[in-house]
Amino acid sequence: MCERCDDFSRTVLLFVDLLRYAKRPGADKNFASEVSTALAASLPEPFSFPPGYDPTAGPQHPGEER
């Protein structure tokens, strides 16, 4: 995988961990808000999916029309 793709993947995993943290009882919501802003700023500009990624290729979810 390319270095840019690795960075993108790590950032997404950090977002997932931050979301899990924010949902815990007693989580510091201000901390989660500040860190999420910093993570969003670290995404590639302009944001783009890795080459060959098709966001519509996944399974159809209940209530979703294609």
Side-chain angles (χ1 to χ4, degrees):
M1 189 179 285
C2 66
E3 185 175 322
R4 182 173 178 240
C5 297
D6 286 343
D7 289 344
F8 179 81
S9 296
R10 277 192 294 271
T11 302
V12 170
L13 290 175
L14 287 169
F15 268 119
V16 170
D17 289 341
L18 184 62
L19 178 62
R20 287 181 185 153
Y21 166 77
K23 291 184 176 259
R24 293 178 61 187
D28 184 342
K29 302 296 182 186
N30 289 328
F31 170 79
S33 176
E34 293 298 320
V35 172
S36 67
T37 302
L39 285 173
S42 73
L43 288 171
E45 189 65 36
F47 174 76
S48 62
F49 289 106
Y53 179 82
D54 180 6
T56 63
Q60 185 172 352
H61 298 283
E64 178 182 56
E65 292 184 27
R66 290 198 183 187

